[in-house]
Amino acid sequence: QVQLVESGGGLVQSGGSLRLSCAASGRAFSTIGLGWFRQAPGKEREFVASISRSGRSTYYTDSVKGRFTISRDNAKNMMYLQMNSLKPEDTAVYYCFADLQVRQRPAPEYWGQGTQVTVSS
């Protein structure tokens, strides 16, 4: 079992920045693949970014490449999503996920409760 708690969401103007954080517990942090999904109103949950257990490999959906950066600090048991140049279409609830399986690209097994990001135009 892994427990995930997101923080850092909020309201920001278009072009602004936010940093989301995800704290993980219940398992040795360096053994967990991690990432983010988001869900906008009336839409399906979609992949945003993920990061391997070591942090050496990262993956992004095309719409956030060059604007978002995923990172992790294994000493602090924390993962981050730095979001720059935010657009109104980034408005969504952002969910942290954890993957306990050994695979190249993390996939969600456990979810956090979500944090709201709202970008005003």
Side-chain angles (χ1 to χ4, degrees), residues 61-104:
T61 191
D62 286 346
S63 63
V64 308
K65 285 180 181 176
R67 299 189 299 123
F68 290 11
T69 302
I70 190 170
S71 63
R72 63 189 294 162
D73 185 335
N74 285 358
K76 295 182 178 180
N77 290 5
M78 295 292 293
M79 176 184 62
Y80 306 100
L81 185 68
Q82 178 66 44
M83 305 186 295
N84 298 329
S85 303
L86 282 161
K87 305 175 181 180
E89 51 264 43
D90 295 317
T91 295
V93 177
Y94 284 70
Y95 296 91
C96 166
F97 74 82
D99 183 2
L100 303 186
Q101 303 303 313
V102 179
R103 39 188 165 209
Q104 176 67 24

Side-chain angles (χ1 to χ4, degrees), residues 7-22:
S7 60
L11 173 64
V12 64
Q13 288 189 331
S14 182
S17 298
L18 281 174
R19 188 177 82 155
L20 304 183
S21 300
C22 176

Side-chain angles (χ1 to χ4, degrees), residues 4 33-37 47 49-50 95-99 106-111:
L4 302 167
L34 295 161
W36 297 91
F37 271 62
F47 170 77
S50 61
Y95 296 91
C96 166
F97 74 82
D99 183 2
E109 287 191 286
Y110 297 91
W111 296 97

